Amino acid sequence: MTRTRQAVLGLLESTKYPLSPSELYARLKKQNVAIDLVTVYRNLHALKAIGVVRQIKLHQEEQFRYEMEEGREHHHHIRCKSCGKIEDLLLCPLKKLTALIEQETRFLVGDHSLEFSGWCPKCQ
Ligand SMILES: [Zn+2]
Ligand SMILES: [Zn+2]
Ligand SMILES: [Zn+2]
């Protein structure tokens, strides 16, 4: 594994919410990691291809974000409409509903998406 890939992984591991490539790039620069944006993208794609990193898209945003897939439980996100702050939501209330949907539709539900937005404590 290259040093840049390790730096990208280390940052994703220590961040509790999904980062965009440009955010990752800015933080790596701050840590004096010699990297350009293209390399950030290339590393993210490679990490996604091997299942270490997950790509997500919040519906108010155009860009993709990335977070660790390995070692993280199923979860959802909440985003502040004012400052854009994002947090992981470690609770999922959809288990009962999933069972109900499977019963009603005879589908086998594989995944679902759920996203919250609102105003963070600072922006209220
Ligand atoms: Zn906010
Ligand atoms: Zn997350
Ligand atoms: Zn869920």
Side-chain angles (χ1 to χ4, degrees):
M1 194 184 293
T2 62
R3 279 189 61 200
T4 43
R5 185 153 307 171
Q6 258 167 347
V8 169
L9 260 184
L11 200 51
L12 288 170
E13 265 170 352
S14 63
T15 307
K16 296 265 178 286
Y17 58 91
L19 291 166
S20 69
S22 48
E23 283 171 348
L24 261 162
Y25 173 66
R27 288 177 194 210
L28 290 167
K29 278 266 164 198
K30 253 191 194 165
Q31 295 177 6
N32 291 316
V33 178
I35 199 167
D36 56 50
L37 193 53
V38 177
T39 311
V40 171
Y41 274 101
R42 197 180 301 136
N43 275 284
L44 287 170
H45 284 165
L47 289 165
K48 185 183 154 231
I50 58 172
V52 172
V53 157
R54 163 177 43 215
Q55 185 184 55
I56 65 159
K57 188 160 175 308
L58 300 179
H59 78 258
Q60 300 98 335
E61 296 189 320
E62 306 230 318
Q63 61 189 347
F64 285 108
R65 291 179 173 273
Y66 296 83
E67 66 182 1
M68 294 302 292
E69 168 85 65
E70 257 183 17
R72 295 256 170 114
E73 282 178 45
H74 170 83
H75 66 273
H76 297 281
H77 299 102
I78 187 164
R79 183 178 181 276
C80 178
K81 286 171 181 287
S82 176
C83 69
K85 178 184 165 73
I86 297 162
E87 276 184 26
D88 276 7
L89 288 173
L90 290 170
L91 42 101
C92 177
L94 293 182
K95 281 189 184 130
K96 252 189 179 166
L97 184 61
T98 299
L100 197 65
I101 288 165
E102 287 185 338
Q103 205 179 7
E104 290 283 315
T105 64
R106 296 183 170 200
F107 272 59
L108 177 64
V109 175
D111 198 11
H112 59 251
S113 59
L114 177 68
E115 186 183 315
F116 293 88
S117 61
W119 291 269
C120 76
K122 275 189 193 162
C123 295
Q124 282 166 36

